[in-house]
Amino acid sequence: MEESRRFTVGYALAPKKKQSFIQPSLVNLACTRGIDLVPIDTDRPLSVQGPFDCVLHKFYGEEWKAQLRDYAFKNPSLPIIDPPDAIERLHNRISMLQVVSELEIPQEKETFGIPSQIVVYDSMALSDYGAVGALRFPVIAKPLVADGSAKSHKMSLVYHRAGLLKLKPPLVLQEFVNHGGVIFKVYVVGDYVKCVKRKSLPDVSLENLDSTEGSLSFSQVSNMTTQNRNNEEYYESLQLEAEMPPLSLLTDIARGLRQAMRLHLFNFDIIRDSKAGNHYYVIDINYFPGYAKMPSYETVLTDFFCNVVNKKSAEDGADSTVEGKGNEMKLLSRTYCGGTKDVESER
């Protein structure tokens, strides 16, 4: 009996991302579904590795981008998840949210947008009333560059103008919106959308701003209240009053972002305005986030890999001769990786 073909997904990930994402549970499930996850040595040419049916990466540097461009040119049908030039848009906190404002999605009962924000390139502008005068305090100060480094996660909640003078540009100043201390993290994997809620910064009493210390420093908003607590305690504490945003709204936003940004793997953070309970703000977008924190991430990602490699295999078959097409379809009928049943059950 002819052995079914296996598919190879090569991955190039920084050590920290590899440690969190490439879990034995993911590798084993993918293996049972005909997908072999194989590490890529970024110090060696891609051309001498593989062959790959898909390249998955979250790795930076000009040499790596040049390698990918060359490999993609020589292998035009190879899926690369995702194109480096598309990922780069998310490295700038102004351009990353601009795409949200450009989405053409009907807004009826629920509406969405982005908070008012400005970019500041030099320290002089922080003391210039005209430059920041249009913003209402408090504001969140975020580094302009969002490249996944520890530095890019260092933020501040600034309560009044004096607190700005301690900051170091370039940075983005984004109006803080009271949102009930809850942030919704929406994970996107191709067509799949999953929303989870996390604790966030507490609401700020606008009446007490002047008597509050200038600023509060923190890293990731959703991690502020979870330090030194195990997951069970944390999730038990999330019996929050806040209901989930409508899945239809999140799915529409996710689809619009995916198409506009040409990305398959990302998440976006969204909050609900405490004053206008039906208005939401997208406040951040991240490429290839910590999927291992997402429920059933192994099933979701394996389904995604299967869809990608089977689509490539089908397209390769369409380019062959009529006889080749028939043989390819027989092969696909034996090696299909399980369909979308598991994905649908998660939605």
Side-chain angles (χ1 to χ4, degrees):
M1 181 177 179
E2 184 181 354
E3 184 178 355
S4 297
R5 179 191 168 190
R6 299 189 65 81
F7 295 95
T8 301
V9 174
Y11 62 86
L13 303 172
K16 187 175 180 180
K17 173 61 70 173
K18 178 180 177 181
Q19 183 179 13
S20 65
F21 182 75
I22 305 295
Q23 297 289 324
S25 55
L26 174 64
V27 174
N28 293 337
L29 179 60
C31 184
T32 64
R33 303 273 296 278
I35 303 286
D36 295 318
L37 298 175
V38 177
I40 291 173
D41 185 348
T42 55
D43 293 326
R44 297 171 57 216
L46 274 171
S47 57
V48 301
Q49 302 180 66
F52 304 112
D53 296 289
C54 172
V55 170
L56 177 76
H57 75 105
K58 188 176 183 181
F59 199 82
Y60 303 121
E62 293 303 318
E63 290 185 9
W64 171 248
K65 287 193 291 185
Q67 272 213 66
L68 273 183
R69 282 194 296 267
D70 180 66
Y71 198 66
F73 178 78
K74 295 176 180 176
N75 301 272
S77 66
L78 180 75
I80 293 178
I81 312 296
D82 277 307
D85 62 320
I87 297 171
E88 284 181 3
R89 182 170 189 170
L90 297 187
H91 291 174
N92 181 297
R93 282 198 165 93
I94 289 293
S95 63
M96 79 160 59
L97 292 186
Q98 182 181 355
V99 67
V100 178
S101 302
E102 297 169 355
L103 296 180
E104 296 182 359
I105 297 173
Q107 301 189 45
E108 299 175 358
K109 184 178 179 181
E110 287 85 19
T111 58
F112 71 93
I114 63 174
S116 297
Q117 59 181 18
I118 62 170
V119 60
V120 177
Y121 291 102
D122 61 76
S123 299
M124 292 294 294
L126 292 174
S127 57
D128 181 356
Y129 182 87
V132 298
L135 293 180
R136 293 174 296 179
F137 285 86
V139 298
I140 298 284
K142 304 179 179 182
L144 177 61
V145 176
D147 58 3
S149 65
K151 182 179 179 181
S152 70
H153 288 301
K154 291 183 178 180
M155 308 178 195
S156 297
L157 176 60
V158 184
Y159 295 105
H160 42 72
R161 187 169 302 280
L164 293 177
L165 303 180
K166 302 177 182 179
L167 304 178
K168 295 182 179 180
L171 49 82
V172 172
L173 299 180
Q174 185 180 89
E175 283 188 3
F176 177 79
V177 177
N178 281 339
H179 53 283
V182 179
I183 188 170
F184 303 98
K185 301 190 78 69
V186 184
Y187 293 93
V188 181
V189 183
D191 294 328
Y192 179 85
V193 178
K194 179 70 174 181
C195 179
V196 299
K197 52 185 170 183
R198 297 283 187 265
K199 284 195 172 182
S200 179
L201 293 169
D203 287 353
V204 175
S205 173
L206 302 183
E207 293 77 14
N208 299 327
L209 281 182
D210 291 338
S211 60
T212 306
E213 187 177 347
S215 62
L216 169 68
S217 298
F218 60 94
S219 55
Q220 292 167 293
V221 170
S222 58
N223 288 344
M224 282 200 64
T225 59
T226 63
Q227 294 179 0
N228 302 321
R229 302 179 65 182
N230 64 42
N231 285 339
E232 184 176 354
E233 290 176 336
Y234 175 57
Y235 287 109
E236 285 180 356
S237 74
L238 280 179
Q239 302 303 315
L240 304 168
E241 302 80 15
E243 62 178 298
M244 288 288 195
L247 182 58
S248 58
L249 173 68
L250 300 180
T251 301
D252 285 345
I253 296 174
R255 184 187 302 114
L257 291 175
R258 190 177 72 245
Q259 294 172 350
M261 299 188 303
R262 298 183 295 119
L263 296 174
H264 295 82
L265 301 177
F266 62 93
N267 79 341
F268 59 94
D269 295 342
I270 191 168
I271 58 175
R272 180 189 287 114
D273 190 337
S274 293
K275 286 186 176 180
N278 64 339
H279 188 71
Y280 296 85
Y281 290 97
V282 177
I283 60 172
D284 209 359
I285 307 174
N286 304 286
Y287 180 67
F288 205 147
Y291 283 117
K293 300 176 184 177
M294 182 179 72
S296 303
Y297 100 100
E298 300 93 340
T299 300
V300 175
L301 269 297
T302 299
D303 285 339
F304 172 71
F305 296 148
C306 288
N307 290 336
V308 169
V309 296
N310 275 293
K311 181 179 179 181
K312 174 184 180 297
S313 186
E315 290 174 350
D316 289 346
D319 292 335
S320 64
T321 63
V322 173
E323 181 180 358
K325 288 181 184 178
N327 292 336
E328 183 70 12
M329 292 308 294
K330 291 178 183 178
L331 178 61
L332 286 174
S333 68
R334 292 194 301 270
T335 61
Y336 180 64
C337 292
T340 59
K341 181 177 180 180
D342 291 331
V343 175
E344 292 297 331
S345 67
E346 288 294 326
R347 291 181 182 174

